[in-house]
Amino acid sequence: MLAKIRLYKDGSGQFLARPVDLMKFNEEDIRQRLVDLGYDYHSELMIVGFEDWQIERNLSLDEAYKIRDLIKSIYSGNDFLVSHMLSIHSFPIASILSNRYAFLSKDEEEAMVKVSKYYESDTLVKIFNKTNTWVNFIMAFVSSGDLLNTSRGFYYKVN
C-alpha cells in the first residue's frame, strides 16, 4: 500500500519524495519522519494515490489507515478487492469501508444464479423486465454496488 502523500502548509503543497508503505508505517512514524526532515509535525497530509495499485485518488490519512485496517482484518491481507473499488472513482470511500464482499464465481451465469438466491423470484423478474437484456440485468446489480465485476470474477455484497 504505497501511498503518494502530499504535504500542505500555508495553502501550498508538495509531494513527499517517496511513497510511504502504510502497511509498515503508522501515522506517528510518518509525522516523526517529517520532523526529521524539517517539517512541522502537525502538517496537513493528504493521500493522492497509491503507486503500487496505479491509482490516483484523494483520501485523508485517516481514511487510508481505515482502508489498511480493512485489508488486514476483513480481507486477510489481500488488497485486490479494495484496490479494485478504489480504482472506480465513483465508488465512495464510505461504501468501501462499510460493505463486505465475497467471491461468487468467474462465470457470470453461475454468479447470477448465486445472486438470485438472495432475491424473491418476483423481484428478479421485475428487474429483468426493466433491463430487457442479460447484460443490462447484470449491470443493474453492478450499478447498485451489490455486485462487483472484477478481472478475477464476480463478488457479491454480503453485509
Side-chain angles (χ1 to χ4, degrees), residues 5 22 27 37 40 57 63 69 71 75 77 81 106 110 116-118 120-122 127-128 136 140 152 155:
I5 300 178
L22 297 184
E27 183 175 356
L37 294 171
D40 181 20
R57 183 152 181 190
E63 289 171 327
D69 295 344
I71 291 169
Y75 296 113
L81 261 183
K106 287 184 176 187
E110 183 180 338
S116 71
K117 294 177 184 177
Y118 296 103
E120 301 269 333
S121 59
D122 293 358
I127 293 170
F128 190 82
N136 291 342
R152 294 184 184 174
Y155 291 79

Side-chain angles (χ1 to χ4, degrees), residues 71-83:
I71 291 169
K72 285 181 173 182
S73 64
I74 301 300
Y75 296 113
S76 304
N78 186 338
D79 62 13
F80 172 75
L81 261 183
V82 172
S83 66

Side-chain angles (χ1 to χ4, degrees), residues 1 5 33 50 71 82 86 91 95 102 139 147 155 157:
M1 213 174 150
I5 300 178
R33 183 67 179 137
F50 297 95
I71 291 169
V82 172
L86 280 171
F91 212 104
S95 292
M139 287 308 298
L147 189 66
Y155 291 79
K157 184 168 39 173

Side-chain angles (χ1 to χ4, degrees), residues 16 28 37 64 66 69 92 132 156 158:
L16 295 184
E28 177 65 25
L37 294 171
K66 286 178 181 176
D69 295 344
N132 294 320
Y156 188 70
V158 294

Side-chain angles (χ1 to χ4, degrees), residues 9-10 12 44 55 72 90 98 131 146-147 154-155 157:
K9 185 175 181 180
D10 300 327
S12 64
E44 183 182 349
I55 294 171
K72 285 181 173 182
S90 62
S98 63
T131 59
D146 289 335
L147 189 66
F154 293 92
Y155 291 79
K157 184 168 39 173

Side-chain angles (χ1 to χ4, degrees), residues 46-99:
M46 174 71 71
I47 306 299
V48 294
F50 297 95
E51 189 171 276
D52 51 341
W53 298 336
Q54 299 171 347
I55 294 171
E56 292 184 10
R57 183 152 181 190
N58 294 337
L59 289 92
S60 69
L61 200 56
D62 185 53
E63 289 171 327
Y65 278 114
K66 286 178 181 176
I67 285 173
R68 177 199 66 180
D69 295 344
L70 175 73
I71 291 169
K72 285 181 173 182
S73 64
I74 301 300
Y75 296 113
S76 304
N78 186 338
D79 62 13
F80 172 75
L81 261 183
V82 172
S83 66
H84 172 80
M85 289 183 277
L86 280 171
S87 71
I88 303 168
H89 289 281
S90 62
F91 212 104
I93 299 298
S95 292
I96 294 171
L97 293 171
S98 63
N99 293 311

